[in-house]
Amino acid sequence: MDYLPKDPAILVSSVNMLLRDEEFDTLESLCYNFGTEPVNVKDYLYGHGFVYSEEQRQFRPIGYDTATR
């Protein structure tokens, strides 16, 4: 992968996969590798319904942690 995808669903999947498979230690290192700022990725995906969880090291749907069980 030479660039980060523009489609929000594919971007979330790609970023989460790269972090999960330990290709990158942090979101910051992943973003810098692809020539973008982490805040830009976070803001873009937040606008499409996703929030970054530092604890989980992945993007999750907004409200995932407040859902009733």
Side-chain angles (χ1 to χ4, degrees), residues 10-46:
I10 297 173
L11 178 59
V12 165
S13 178
S14 298
V15 169
N16 285 347
M17 177 197 66
L18 289 168
L19 290 171
R20 180 195 68 225
D21 293 347
E22 299 180 0
E23 296 290 327
F24 296 94
D25 293 338
T26 64
L27 178 63
E28 289 76 17
S29 65
L30 184 152
C31 289
Y32 294 142
N33 183 72
F34 288 103
T36 189
E37 293 292 324
V39 69
N40 294 341
V41 174
K42 287 180 179 179
D43 289 347
Y44 177 73
L45 289 175
Y46 187 83

